[in-house]
């Protein structure tokens, strides 16, 4: 409905981008920033990281040391940096599909071997097949995991996370967890890092 004859009747409510006008406060702030001619490195005050640290502790019960935070301009660049730091060209990297397409592309673009574990819809929720997943983890160096799942929105249960962690530990597979949607859990579900 967003495009085509009936587009005027649609309500544009995307997850990442909405077809709504930007607030005047944001526009004014951007205009003020544009008046400065240098667009160098992004300033990251300590207070920003302290606020993130407090939020993670209060919302998720996870105490993260300040020196653990690293700035990355996007989830894709963060995953690329993780691949370069912890894997080598030719290493096998497993992902669970469906998944945000750029995460698949960054694995292949880093000259790693992409292996896919196809999630199955069961009662309207994406689920993994434990036996098949265990077999597909064999020989992998890394698992790129979405928690909560994107695009399914699935918040994995504590039991599922324990099973996954146990299998990855047994196989020596490093887990790189994309948790960018952690604060979007709905219907009483909680994110568990």
């Amino acid at each position: 409905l967003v495009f085509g004859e009936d587009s005027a009747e649609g309500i544009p409510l995307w997850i990442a981008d909405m077809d709504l006008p930007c607030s005047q406060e944001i526009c004014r702030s951007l205009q003020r920033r544009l008046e400065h001619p240098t667009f160098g490195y992004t300033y990251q005050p300590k207070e920003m990281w302290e606020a993130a640290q407090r939020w993670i502790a209060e919302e998720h019960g996870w105490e993260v040391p300040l020196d653990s935070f690293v700035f990355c301009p996007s989830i894709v660049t963060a995953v690329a940096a993780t691949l370069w730091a912890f894997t080598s060209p030719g290493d096998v990297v497993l992902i669970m599909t469906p998944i945000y397409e750029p995460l698949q592309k960054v694995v292949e673009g880093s000259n790693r071997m992409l292996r896919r574990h196809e999630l199955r819809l069961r009662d309207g929720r994406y689920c993994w097949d434990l036996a098949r997943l265990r077999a597909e983890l064999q020989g992998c160096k890394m698992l790129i995991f979405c928690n909560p799942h994107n695009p399914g929105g699935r918040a994995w249960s504590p039991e599922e996370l324990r099973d996954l962690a146990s299998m990855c530990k047994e196989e020596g597979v490093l887990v790189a967890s994309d948790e960018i949607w952690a604060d979007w859990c709905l219907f009483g579900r909680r994110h568990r890092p």
Side-chain angles (χ1 to χ4, degrees):
L1 288 176
V2 175
F3 305 102
E5 294 176 22
D6 297 326
S7 64
E9 302 299 319
I11 300 174
L13 299 175
W14 305 106
I15 297 273
D17 299 308
M18 294 188 209
D19 294 336
L20 302 172
C22 191
S23 76
Q24 288 301 309
E25 292 81 9
I26 293 172
C27 289
R28 282 192 293 274
S29 180
L30 286 171
Q31 287 168 347
R32 279 192 308 274
R33 177 61 186 99
L34 289 171
E35 290 171 5
H36 191 284
T38 304
F39 297 109
Y41 298 99
T42 303
Y43 176 63
Q44 301 163 39
K46 183 179 178 188
E47 294 81 7
M48 176 183 80
W49 297 116
E50 289 170 343
Q53 182 186 45
R54 272 192 312 279
W55 175 262
I56 292 169
E58 291 169 8
E59 292 298 314
H60 304 293
W62 190 17
E63 300 293 333
V64 180
L66 273 179
D67 63 357
S68 294
F69 290 97
V70 176
F71 175 78
C72 285
S74 75
I75 190 64
V76 176
T77 55
V79 169
T82 302
L83 285 165
W84 296 332
F86 297 104
T87 66
S88 299
D91 283 345
V92 178
V93 177
L94 182 69
I95 59 167
M96 297 179 182
T97 60
I99 194 172
Y100 181 53
E101 181 69 21
L103 294 182
Q104 297 178 64
K105 298 285 187 204
V106 76
V107 172
E108 294 171 324
S110 299
N111 295 317
R112 276 49 173 185
M113 302 297 297
L114 179 62
R115 185 180 293 170
R116 293 174 178 90
H117 174 82
E118 187 178 331
L119 296 170
R120 303 283 188 224
L121 271 176
R122 193 176 307 134
D123 299 323
R125 295 174 7 145
Y126 282 110
C127 300
W128 57 65
D129 177 292
L130 211 53
R132 189 167 43 87
L133 179 58
R134 182 180 301 278
E136 290 169 348
L137 282 167
Q138 292 177 1
C140 286
K141 180 76 172 196
M142 180 181 285
L143 165 66
I144 297 175
F145 182 61
C146 281
N147 178 33
H149 181 257
N150 178 18
R154 171 83 197 280
W156 304 102
S157 73
E159 296 77 23
E160 289 170 316
L161 293 172
R162 277 192 291 275
D163 287 344
L164 182 65
S166 175
M167 287 188 298
C168 288
K169 184 176 181 181
E170 287 171 20
E171 295 297 331
V173 176
L174 179 67
V175 178
S177 189
D178 167 5
E179 303 191 5
I180 199 165
W181 298 109
D183 295 320
W184 285 78
C185 289
L186 303 174
F187 313 115
R189 303 256 194 302
R190 297 281 304 168
H191 167 260
R192 289 166 181 85

